Amino acid sequence: MKNAVVVIPTYNEIENIEIILEKVFSLSLNLDILVVDDNSPDLTHAKVQELIDNKTYNSSLNLIIRQNKEGLGKAYIEGFKWCLAQEYTYIIEMDADLSHDPKYIPSFLENIKDNDLVIGSRYVKGGGVVNWSMFRKLISFGGSAYSRIILGISIKDVTGGFKCFKYEVLKSINLDNIMSAGYAFQIEMNYRTLLKGFKVKEVPIVFEDRVLGKSKMSKKIFIEALWNVLLLRIHKKDILNEK
Ligand SMILES: Nc1nc2c(ncn2[C@@H]2O[C@H](COP(=O)(O)OP(=O)(O)O)[C@@H](O)[C@H]2O)c(=O)[nH]1
Ligand SMILES: [Mg+2]
């Protein structure tokens, strides 16, 4: 088994990609990185390919280019399948836009030893949000509360995208059955992890809104999340019986 990999989905992150890669690799933690790009028109993937070709990070940097923009969930599923095939013990998810500070990765890797999923959480003691609009705070906090109530779970930050899975968790979830393409993906992965009986821990992170590039949040993604939480609850039994 290999050690740990950080999966970073990208869509038009040309201003951020080099900075985030440098920050993660400068932790010197024996981590690999997989960038999953949905054929970004701003050529984020070409920048990554250039760094691979120049061997800037030896062989630690990897890239998957997908044909079309299909949402963060689909990008992660393809990335996770690659990580499982490569047999990484720990698989970390992280945004490219510098909202997730890599300085928390050591605490994730420490906590994952006794847990199966570690979630970087804005809503536990010590966590927080910096520079987000009132509107985004409301969607995020409200979305977590809504999911908690409908799904009957106790995770405080259900929608966050900075987390660390053990290999066994991703291996046990049937990734082809994931319904959510947008940000509901995060909720769905948490729910499926809990239903499998795995141990989940939240560790505090301070999330900072992006300075460069644009958010891909949309009304469609928001509605999918509301709807899919209900679908997940309705299909709870099927998910429990899934192989
Ligand atoms: N590959 C891929 N990445 C995406 C897609 N949508 C968003 N992302 C990436 O997912 C991460 C989170 O997206 P972002 O727009 O920052 O979401 P926000 O922080 O909730 O506003 C960023 O790294 C995006 O580039 C997509 O459709 N495909
Ligand atoms: Mg963001």
Side-chain angles (χ1 to χ4, degrees), residues 11-240:
Y11 192 76
N12 286 347
E13 300 289 0
I14 194 73
E15 297 102 326
N16 295 310
I17 190 68
E18 279 178 283
I19 307 172
I20 190 71
L21 293 176
E22 183 53 38
K23 280 194 171 201
V24 174
F25 282 128
S26 65
L27 293 168
S28 301
L29 280 175
N30 180 24
L31 292 170
D32 291 340
I33 295 182
L34 171 66
V35 174
V36 187
D37 186 86
D38 278 10
N39 210 357
S40 297
D42 74 355
L43 301 182
T44 303
H45 50 87
K47 185 77 235 177
V48 177
Q49 190 59 53
E50 185 190 314
L51 295 169
I52 292 174
D53 293 343
N54 294 343
K55 300 217 182 308
T56 310
Y57 300 111
N58 300 317
S59 57
S60 304
L61 179 58
N62 304 273
L63 171 67
I64 293 176
I65 306 176
R66 310 183 72 246
Q67 237 12 272
N68 300 303
K69 181 175 182 337
E70 288 187 297
L72 160 128
K74 291 272 189 277
Y76 266 127
I77 289 167
E78 189 161 343
F80 286 167
K81 286 182 177 172
W82 182 90
C83 297
L84 290 174
Q86 300 283 319
E87 301 197 316
Y88 283 99
T89 310
Y90 304 122
I91 297 119
I92 295 170
E93 284 187 15
M94 187 168 82
D95 290 354
D97 59 357
L98 309 172
S99 288
H100 297 150
D101 194 326
K103 76 176 180 195
Y104 297 110
I105 292 178
S107 128
F108 283 24
L109 290 173
E110 192 49 43
N111 280 284
I112 193 68
K113 288 180 191 157
D114 310 322
N115 293 282
D116 301 307
L117 165 60
V118 170
I119 299 177
S121 179
R122 296 162 286 193
Y123 308 129
V124 293
K125 195 164 179 275
V129 180
V130 177
N131 279 340
W132 240 14
S133 70
M134 202 54 204
F135 180 65
R136 280 309 298 266
K137 278 187 195 160
L138 215 75
I139 291 186
S140 166
F141 194 78
S144 274
Y146 168 81
S147 309
R148 249 194 326 273
I149 293 165
I150 305 270
L151 299 175
I153 58 179
S154 58
I155 296 172
K156 294 214 166 61
D157 193 341
V158 191
T159 59
F162 194 14
K163 42 210 229 187
C164 180
F165 291 95
K166 262 194 184 137
Y167 171 89
E168 288 75 17
V169 175
L170 296 184
K171 187 79 187 167
S172 78
I173 291 175
N174 189 334
L175 297 171
D176 292 321
N177 288 353
I178 303 277
M179 306 183 280
S180 311
Y183 301 0
F185 174 77
Q186 305 298 357
I187 308 173
E188 181 162 353
M189 287 303 293
N190 292 339
Y191 192 50
R192 286 175 179 271
T193 301
L194 287 171
L195 289 184
K196 292 268 179 203
F198 286 113
K199 207 166 147 194
V200 179
K201 177 167 182 187
E202 290 183 83
V203 300
I205 60 157
V206 175
F207 174 103
E208 289 189 46
D209 194 19
R210 64 161 76 234
V211 178
L212 302 167
K214 282 201 190 76
S215 167
K216 280 96 215 171
M217 180 67 174
S218 67
K219 204 192 263 176
K220 185 175 159 226
I221 287 171
F222 176 68
I223 291 169
E224 185 208 39
L226 286 182
W227 184 236
N228 278 22
V229 169
L230 290 176
L231 282 182
L232 283 170
R233 178 61 191 84
I234 292 166
H235 292 296
K236 181 177 179 182
K237 273 211 180 105
D238 307 321
I239 296 173
L240 276 168

